[in-house]
């Protein structure tokens, strides 16, 4: 065998060893927990044969606490590029079989290199997290590594899509990188995120809490809103990431891929004409409306189990990716509150950053009242959604189905917030408030001075009827140009598609500035 053949054989041997990470025993331990390894996850995520690995032979440089005696090629993370459905992506996957996936300075450098390449080449960056946190043996070097990583997240924000998959532990400072990305996915019963673990919580606050109760997927998908998706398994999580990516462009200078559409553009759905109940206080399901107007009834929901009084997610109209924001009358009558406002604001800003048009389906009676909301800052949180719509320069199509009252009317992509095309169904009520509340304010004195309960009721009903004739319809708003057209519900799909096609080359801008001062 020649020297060259020996060198090639040595390379192949070392590469195969590197693929084993921390070794067969640790891989088996990972499998026994029902978890895949970093490389197995990447194999599921990427197109077959497309993975190009970088820094496979990197070692950590720590000599403290006996670390100089243990080295693994790659150092607890696998990084590289590949394709998903033929589209370039950059990826990194933490390897729990090596030092518990803990972050060293060299590991951070590998991630930063990948993120720099993603930004430079305009491609999404996907990180699969499974780590015990900072490598304690490296001290401040590990913390510096996190800082470098966070700075890359910030610089990439709004430039390329960033997606985080949490497939194991993610604690302490490590949680901030996923929190800075556009979308975070967790796996139920096997992943968790928190700043301080149960032991520290117990010592500081006295609370007894498990890892799952403190920061499991269900907690962050329903209560905190930290997780946009919670999957039942790692396979489901990987498939969710793939589908999410299909709605997003490569970067902020491109548009999302257009998918071949076999759903007729001019398809009408007569059932929409009867979906709004005669009783204005009766609920209906906004999901039914969405499914009847989008391509092939397919809606990819984001934040499904958080702030359910508002619905956000992606769909397609004639093959084009669109972000949908819709009030849900079945939950809290569709009111806006703190969580709904920040959920929708985050989504609107993401769509705007990546050139995805926004379709808003409005049925909102106002903002949720009460001390809990006011003390929690509902004013500031509501302003986030108002700000997000007002600064968005992508095409914005708004359809008011029923109620649109008060400040919530303005917030939900009104004409005054540069809504491009604003439609209303004949059932729309656009006013400062509902008829009953308005009459009680406007005619409180007349009602109070009435001689009998019957007379009070008569005045109330008479004034309510007058108010309904004036405002419990979309015509006054249409007369003033605040509504561009009143449309028949069954034609909603066609009208939205035509509006989106009309706005395909829309140009809008914001005044020159360093950056805005969003009411955080």
């Amino acid at each position: 065998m020649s020297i060259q053949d020996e060198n090639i054989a040595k390379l192949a041997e070392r590469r195969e060893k590197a693929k084993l990470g921390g070794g067969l025993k640790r891989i088996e331990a990972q499998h026994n927990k029902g978890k895949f390894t970093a490389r197995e996850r990447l194999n599921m995520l990427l197109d077959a044969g497309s993975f190009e690995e970088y820094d496979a032979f990197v070692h950590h440089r720590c000599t403290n606490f006996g670390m100089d005696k243990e080295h693994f090629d790659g150092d607890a993370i696998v990084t590289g590029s590949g394709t998903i459905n033929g589209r370039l992506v950059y990826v990194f996957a933490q390897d729990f079989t090596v030092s518990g996936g803990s972050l060293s300075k060299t590991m951070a450098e590998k991630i930063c290199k990948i993120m720099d390449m993603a930004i430079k080449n305009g491609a999404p960056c996907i990180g699969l997290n499974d780590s015990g946190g900072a490598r304690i043996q490296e001290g401040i070097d590990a913390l510096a590594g996190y800082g470098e990583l966070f700075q890359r997240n910030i610089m990439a924000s709004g430039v390329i899509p960033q997606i985080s998959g949490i497939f194991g532990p993610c604690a302490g400072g490590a949680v901030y990188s996923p929190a800075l990305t556009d979308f975070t996915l967790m796996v139920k019963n096997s992943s968790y995120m928190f700043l301080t673990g149960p032991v520290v919580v117990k010592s500081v606050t006295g609370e007894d809490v498990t890892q799952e109760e403190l920061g499991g997927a269900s907690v962050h998908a329903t209560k905190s809103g930290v997780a946009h998706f919670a999957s039942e398994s790692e396979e489901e999580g990987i498939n969710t990431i793939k589908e999410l990516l299909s709605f997003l462009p490569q970067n902020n200078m491109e548009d999302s891929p257009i998918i071949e559409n076999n759903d007729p553009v001019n398809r009408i759905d007569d059932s929409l004409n009867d979906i709004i109940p005669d009783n204005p206080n009766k609920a209906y399901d906004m999901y039914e409306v969405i499914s009847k107007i989008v391509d092939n009834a397919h809606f990819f929901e984001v934040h499904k189990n958080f702030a359910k009084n508002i619905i956000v997610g992606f769909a397609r109209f004639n093959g084009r990716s669109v972000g949908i924001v819709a009030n849900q009358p079945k939950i809290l009558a569709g009111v806006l509150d703190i969580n709904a406002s920040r959920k929708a604001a985050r989504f609107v800003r993401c769509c705007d950053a990546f050139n995805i048009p926004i379709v808003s389906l409005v049925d909102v009676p106002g903002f949720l009242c009460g001390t809990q909301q006011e003390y929690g800052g509902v004013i500031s949180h509501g302003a986030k959604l108002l700000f997000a719509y007002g600064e968005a320069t992508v095409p914005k199509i708004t359809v008011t189905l029923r109620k649109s009252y008060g400040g919530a009317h303005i917030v939900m992509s009104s004409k005054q917030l540069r809504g491009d095309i604003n439609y209303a169904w004949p059932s729309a009520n656009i006013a400062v408030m509902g008829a009953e509340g308005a009459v009680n304010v406007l005619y409180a004195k007349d009602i109070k001075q009435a001689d009998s309960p019957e007379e009070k009721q008569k005045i109330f009903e008479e004034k309510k009827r007058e108010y309904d004739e004036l405002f419990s319809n979309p015509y006054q708003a249409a007369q003033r140009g605040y509504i561009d057209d009143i449309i028949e519900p069954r034609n909603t799909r066609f009208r939205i598609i035509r509006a989106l096609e009309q706005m395909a080359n829309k140009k809008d801008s914001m005044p020159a500035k360093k950056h805005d001062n969003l009411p955080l």
Side-chain angles (χ1 to χ4, degrees):
M1 181 182 291
S2 68
I3 293 176
Q4 189 64 15
D5 289 338
E6 287 181 5
N7 288 338
I8 292 173
K10 184 178 179 180
L11 169 63
E13 180 184 351
R14 187 161 176 177
R15 194 179 294 280
E16 287 304 310
K17 185 179 179 181
K19 289 180 180 178
L20 295 176
L24 292 174
K25 285 188 177 180
R26 293 182 184 177
I27 290 174
E28 184 180 357
Q30 184 84 339
H31 289 165
N32 289 339
K33 296 175 187 174
K35 297 166 63 178
F36 290 99
T37 66
R39 292 182 183 277
E40 288 168 341
R41 290 164 182 157
L42 290 178
N43 285 338
M44 288 189 286
L45 178 68
L46 300 171
D47 296 339
S50 70
F51 183 51
E52 182 82 12
E53 185 172 358
Y54 306 125
D55 292 333
F57 305 113
V58 163
H59 283 189
H60 70 75
R61 298 185 291 271
C62 179
T63 59
N64 299 326
F65 304 100
M67 289 295 291
D68 55 325
K69 298 180 177 63
E70 187 175 62
H71 289 276
F72 295 91
D73 284 340
D75 191 31
I77 195 162
V78 183
T79 62
S81 65
T83 61
I84 296 177
N85 295 323
R87 298 171 61 196
L88 174 67
V89 296
Y90 288 87
V91 294
F92 63 87
Q94 294 172 330
D95 186 353
F96 196 80
T97 69
V98 177
S99 301
S102 59
L103 185 130
S104 65
K105 186 65 165 64
T106 51
M107 180 174 164
E109 289 169 355
K110 286 182 65 173
I111 300 175
C112 289
K113 180 189 285 189
I114 286 298
M115 295 188 71
D116 288 341
M117 294 175 75
I119 296 170
K120 190 182 298 184
N121 296 309
C125 186
I126 302 170
L128 307 182
N129 295 262
D130 188 359
S131 168
R135 194 168 296 175
I136 299 172
Q137 297 92 329
E138 295 206 9
I140 191 64
D141 279 345
L143 295 182
Y146 272 129
E148 293 285 350
L149 174 54
F150 300 159
Q151 184 62 39
R152 296 308 195 288
N153 288 133
I154 293 166
M155 300 304 290
S157 182
V159 178
I160 55 170
Q162 299 181 80
I163 302 172
S164 297
I166 314 299
F167 290 91
C170 186
V175 300
Y176 282 115
S177 181
L180 289 167
T181 60
D182 299 303
F183 298 97
T184 299
L185 175 141
M186 298 183 71
V187 179
K188 293 179 181 177
N189 302 314
S190 67
S191 68
Y192 51 86
M193 299 175 71
F194 41 65
L195 286 170
T196 52
V199 176
V200 176
V201 170
K202 172 69 174 175
S203 65
V204 174
T205 70
E207 292 179 275
D208 279 311
V209 64
T210 66
Q211 288 184 341
E212 186 65 27
E213 292 168 340
L214 183 62
S218 296
V219 169
H220 286 310
T222 62
K223 295 182 179 180
S224 71
V226 168
H228 298 81
F229 308 96
S231 64
E232 297 292 339
S233 66
E234 292 194 17
E235 296 96 330
E236 181 185 310
I238 293 291
N239 288 332
T240 298
I241 291 173
K242 288 183 177 182
E243 184 172 6
L244 169 62
L245 192 66
S246 74
F247 289 97
L248 304 175
Q250 288 293 92
N251 54 66
N252 64 337
M253 302 301 289
E254 299 183 20
D255 293 326
S256 300
I258 298 176
I259 306 300
E260 185 177 351
N261 173 47
N262 57 10
D263 191 351
V265 170
N266 59 353
R267 171 175 58 78
I268 63 174
D269 195 311
D270 291 329
S271 66
L272 288 175
N273 282 6
D274 302 314
I275 202 167
I276 302 295
D278 291 336
N279 182 349
N281 296 319
K282 187 175 180 180
Y284 62 96
D285 193 347
M286 187 63 78
Y287 287 111
E288 288 188 35
V289 177
I290 295 171
S291 68
K292 292 176 188 298
I293 63 175
V294 302
D295 288 358
N296 302 305
H298 181 59
F299 177 56
F300 182 77
E301 189 168 5
V302 177
H303 264 148
K304 181 177 182 178
N305 296 311
F306 176 66
K308 292 184 177 182
N309 41 321
I310 201 162
I311 300 167
V312 302
F314 296 105
R316 292 185 176 89
F317 284 95
N318 197 24
R320 295 180 182 271
S321 182
V322 166
I324 290 181
V325 180
N327 308 111
Q328 172 58 297
K330 285 187 69 175
I331 308 294
L332 295 175
V335 296
L336 291 173
D337 61 3
I338 290 171
N339 286 342
S341 296
R342 63 189 185 95
K343 167 183 170 178
R346 173 76 173 173
F347 184 75
V348 167
R349 297 195 93 213
C350 184
C351 289
D352 187 49
F354 294 113
N355 309 314
I356 300 173
I358 301 164
V359 172
S360 302
L361 304 176
V362 180
D363 188 346
V364 60
F367 280 89
L368 186 61
C369 59
T371 55
Q372 184 178 7
Q373 288 291 307
E374 295 293 354
Y375 296 170
V378 67
I379 296 171
S380 295
H381 291 289
K384 292 176 184 177
L385 181 54
L386 188 157
F387 198 108
Y389 269 124
E391 73 168 348
T393 59
V394 294
K396 293 179 286 190
I397 314 300
T398 305
V399 183
T400 302
L401 282 62
R402 187 168 64 174
K403 299 174 184 175
S404 187
Y405 294 156
H409 160 72
I410 299 297
V411 168
M412 286 298 298
S413 197
S414 64
K415 183 64 72 177
Q416 290 70 37
L417 294 183
R418 301 196 299 182
D420 293 301
I421 304 293
N422 291 64
Y423 293 132
W425 285 5
S427 50
N429 301 335
I430 302 171
V432 174
M433 62 177 65
E436 291 188 10
V439 170
N440 284 326
V441 171
L442 294 172
Y443 300 101
K445 185 176 180 181
D446 294 344
I447 294 172
K448 185 177 181 181
Q449 291 176 346
D451 295 329
S452 65
E454 291 78 13
E455 185 66 21
K456 293 179 189 289
Q457 187 63 29
K458 181 180 179 182
I459 295 173
F460 178 83
E461 293 296 338
E462 181 182 316
K463 298 303 181 183
K464 181 174 177 294
R465 191 161 46 251
E466 289 179 11
Y467 189 90
D468 279 334
E469 288 176 3
L470 274 175
F471 297 110
S472 294
N473 58 70
Y475 293 101
Q476 190 173 81
Q479 287 168 10
R480 286 162 172 75
Y482 303 146
I483 295 295
D484 294 300
D485 197 9
I486 301 168
I487 64 174
E488 193 174 347
R490 67 177 188 161
N491 293 327
T492 301
R493 170 178 166 79
F494 170 67
R495 298 300 295 271
I496 289 175
I497 289 174
R498 191 158 66 177
L500 289 169
E501 289 175 348
Q502 174 190 337
M503 304 301 299
N505 296 316
K506 173 192 172 183
K507 294 289 186 293
D508 212 342
S509 63
M510 296 288 285
K513 63 181 79 172
K514 183 177 181 181
H515 59 71
D516 55 51
N517 190 16
L518 175 72
L520 295 172

